[in-house]
Amino acid sequence: MKILLITGWGGGTLLLESLKQHLEQKNYIVELMNIFDVYDSEVLQHKIEHAKAYDVIVGWSLGGQLATVLASEIQQQYQYNKILITLASNPCFVEHVDWPFAMSTTAFEQFKNSFHMDAVATLKKFGFMVCQGVITAKEDFKYLQSLIQAQNLDTLSHGLNALAGLDNVNILKNYMGHQYHIFAKQDYLVSYKIEHIIANLSAKYLQTELINGSHGFPVFNAKEISCKIYQYLEGVAQSKV
């Protein structure tokens, strides 16, 4: 089984290298993908063509939103139902009238302005937010910093635009394929309450889970998450027999 694993905003693919390796130990073929400009139709179509060769599309945070878009587009264009898995991913990251379970518009605009004024300092602050909520936050932050790769500022700007604009709630509600969404109780960036909201969407093959951890659980709890993904995929395989 082939898995496409999409990282989150701000740090690069190395953050999910450990999760990739743990999944490979379970005999999956795994490829890491960085975030991309979802609003560039040419770029998006290229990613769709690439992703359709995979059985499972997994994404962390913004990567989960991008994974959701890819799965939806593949379904619409090719009638393939990929297995979709998201990790600590709010389908709509910035709040609006119909989705209040997200970061406030004011807080997000402040963050975006801060990034444009001082990208390095803002990325560091964001890194700490990824680790907040658990007693190991300081140690986790040091580990996170050791893995972060320099990112193209245009790529990061496109990522902020995606975080501001993507609303994938209806995609999840109407998706015909299997989908599994993991959230964390101590997540500082994505409220744990979303797990219950997503669980109550009307999609046929939708499953959610709430675990202990910070927003960075795919980085810091890679072995545990690889086991959960394995168990889920085994369950899906058995249900198709």
Side-chain angles (χ1 to χ4, degrees), residues 39-209:
Y39 293 124
D40 183 321
S41 57
E42 204 171 300
V43 169
L44 176 59
Q45 191 59 41
H46 175 73
K47 298 297 183 182
I48 292 165
E49 296 295 332
H50 184 75
K52 72 177 185 179
Y54 293 81
D55 307 293
V56 187
I57 307 176
V58 185
W60 170 40
S61 196
L62 171 58
Q65 290 180 285
L66 298 176
T68 301
V69 171
L70 290 178
S72 174
E73 287 293 327
I74 291 168
Q75 185 183 72
Q76 289 178 45
Q77 293 184 32
Y78 299 102
Q79 289 73 56
Y80 300 154
N81 292 329
K82 302 297 182 182
I83 298 171
L84 170 65
I85 300 175
T86 74
L87 312 170
S89 184
N90 194 334
C92 185
F93 190 75
V94 180
E95 67 176 5
H96 60 75
V97 176
D98 296 323
W99 192 256
F101 326 101
M103 184 180 283
S104 73
T105 306
T106 304
F108 185 79
E109 283 303 316
Q110 287 173 346
F111 181 83
K112 196 173 179 180
N113 291 335
S114 172
F115 172 76
H116 289 306
M117 284 189 291
D118 189 341
V120 174
T122 306
L123 283 165
K124 194 168 185 180
K125 180 184 175 184
F126 179 74
F128 192 67
M129 288 193 283
V130 168
C131 305
Q132 268 181 283
V134 293
I135 56 171
T136 55
K138 285 186 178 177
E139 296 91 331
D140 289 348
F141 180 62
K142 286 181 184 175
Y143 177 59
L144 188 82
Q145 290 296 109
S146 74
L147 296 175
I148 287 175
Q149 302 155 292
Q151 296 295 297
N152 179 287
L153 291 182
D154 285 341
T155 300
L156 294 175
S157 279
H158 295 321
L160 288 177
N161 291 337
L163 285 170
L166 285 176
D167 181 352
N168 292 336
V169 177
N170 282 331
I171 292 178
L172 301 186
K173 201 183 289 186
N174 297 308
Y175 191 60
M176 301 298 291
H178 287 82
Q179 50 178 313
Y180 176 42
H181 308 283
I182 307 177
F183 298 92
K185 293 176 185 175
Q186 293 81 24
D187 194 325
Y188 185 80
L189 288 164
V190 175
S191 172
Y192 72 92
K193 295 176 182 177
I194 293 171
E195 185 268 338
H196 179 68
I197 308 297
I198 298 293
N200 285 319
L201 295 178
S202 56
K204 186 176 181 181
Y205 299 112
L206 187 150
Q207 187 173 323
T208 64
E209 187 165 356

Side-chain angles (χ1 to χ4, degrees), residues 18-20 22-23 217-227:
S18 180
L19 178 56
K20 174 181 183 282
H22 281 293
L23 288 169
F217 70 77
V219 182
F220 311 122
N221 307 93
K223 185 175 182 180
E224 176 193 354
I225 300 309
S226 71
C227 289

